[in-house]
Amino acid sequence: GSGTEVAKECADIVIKDNNFASIAKAVLYGRTIFESIRMFIIFQLIMNFSAVGISLLGPFIGVDTPVTVTQMLWLNIIMDTLGALAFATEPPLLEYMKRTPKKRSEQILSPKMIKQIIIVTSYILALCVWFLKSNAGAMLLTKSTEKYVLSSFFALFVFLAVFVCFISRTHRINVFSGLLKNKCFTLIMLLIVLVQIVFIYFGGEALRTSPLNIFDLLRVFLCAFSVVVFDTLRKIASRLFGLKRKKQKTKSERKISNVK
């Protein structure tokens, strides 16, 4: 920043505070933004594919409108506005600096992300179809009327969106890793849950909801939490498979070197 005007015009980067450590900070925040965008894309695609999927499958399983237009508007607020705010506040992690630089040609959607999106979306669709089609009212709920089951399904889908936020924000097995560093994320998730509970008990005809028994609400919440358990098992299996492939690759490389 204290260089001559000629030097500044010729330079690719001008360090305003004359501190070379600022370059490292810029790289760290750049990588953090890139990771946050990827997190948000995972969340967006999983929930959008799930919402579209269940809307298309609904008529084939005897449910014309699993999610109403008004309910979908609330889901869009969660998926777009609140979701964006939650991921935008992710703190910069020093572990990002240990990764190799991204190529200019690298796609935002990586193969790992695509696998996670496909597998988790498939699980959510299977869970939703099971909940709506397999007489979940008799299995989980104290009432089995159509409105009561659909009201429970609305709560299930929103809670699923909340938990998909958690599994999308970290590649670690522990989905709550580093959560205390992002208080805004936690507050937004709590806000979504609280607003959803208010909608369930006071939404009425506008949101096609009826008050749920507190134990039914808890069962629905736990049912939605199963997506966290499922994704954790997926991550563990993926890592074990990755380690197995790495060992096989190392063995094959050793054999080749021995032959040489």
Side-chain angles (χ1 to χ4, degrees), residues 10-233:
C10 294
D12 292 320
I13 299 172
V14 177
I15 306 172
K16 291 288 186 179
D17 60 358
N18 301 324
N19 187 351
F20 281 102
S22 298
I23 297 175
K25 283 186 178 180
V27 172
L28 174 59
Y29 279 97
R31 292 185 178 191
T32 301
I33 291 168
F34 186 77
E35 290 300 323
S36 295
I37 290 170
R38 279 187 159 179
M39 293 172 191
F40 182 63
I41 288 172
I42 292 170
F43 166 67
Q44 274 276 306
L45 291 181
I46 289 174
M47 293 314 303
N48 275 290
F49 285 145
S50 298
V52 172
I54 196 61
S55 296
L56 291 173
L57 290 172
F60 293 100
I61 60 174
V63 184
D64 292 332
T65 52
V67 182
T68 65
V69 175
T70 312
Q71 290 173 349
M72 192 62 77
L73 287 173
W74 166 232
L75 286 167
N76 280 324
I77 291 172
I78 295 172
M79 289 188 286
D80 297 331
T81 309
L82 296 176
L85 287 172
F87 289 110
T89 53
E90 278 295 308
L93 302 176
L94 292 177
E95 66 182 67
Y96 295 154
M97 298 299 284
K98 297 178 182 178
R99 299 177 185 177
T100 54
K102 307 291 182 187
K103 294 179 181 178
R104 287 179 179 270
S105 59
E106 183 171 341
Q107 299 294 325
I108 290 182
L109 269 175
S110 67
K112 285 185 178 180
M113 291 169 66
I114 293 170
K115 285 180 184 177
Q116 182 180 10
I117 290 164
I118 292 172
I119 293 171
V120 175
T121 301
S122 300
Y123 174 78
I124 290 174
L125 286 175
L127 180 66
C128 290
V129 170
W130 168 81
F131 191 91
L132 291 170
K133 185 63 179 176
S134 63
N135 198 13
M139 298 173 67
L140 288 176
L141 310 173
T142 55
K143 296 180 183 179
S144 57
T145 60
E146 183 182 4
K147 187 175 180 180
Y148 196 84
V149 172
L150 289 175
S151 183
S152 302
F153 176 74
F154 178 40
L156 172 70
F157 205 83
V158 172
F159 293 153
L160 279 169
V162 171
F163 288 123
V164 169
C165 275
F166 279 94
I167 66 175
S168 301
R169 64 170 291 276
T170 181
H171 64 279
R172 295 176 182 272
I173 292 174
N174 179 13
V175 296
F176 304 109
S177 176
L179 192 61
L180 294 176
K181 295 179 181 178
N182 190 353
K183 294 180 181 177
C184 186
F185 181 93
T186 308
L187 289 173
I188 289 172
M189 294 302 110
L190 287 173
L191 176 65
I192 293 171
V193 171
L194 289 173
V195 172
Q196 180 60 29
I197 291 172
V198 170
F199 283 166
I200 288 295
Y201 288 96
F202 302 101
E205 292 298 326
L207 286 165
R208 197 187 64 182
T209 58
S210 60
L212 300 181
N213 180 292
I214 188 66
F215 294 106
D216 288 342
L217 186 65
L218 181 60
R219 291 187 190 100
V220 169
F221 189 83
L222 292 174
C223 191
F225 183 77
S226 67
V227 75
V228 176
V229 178
F230 176 81
D231 193 63
T232 301
L233 293 173

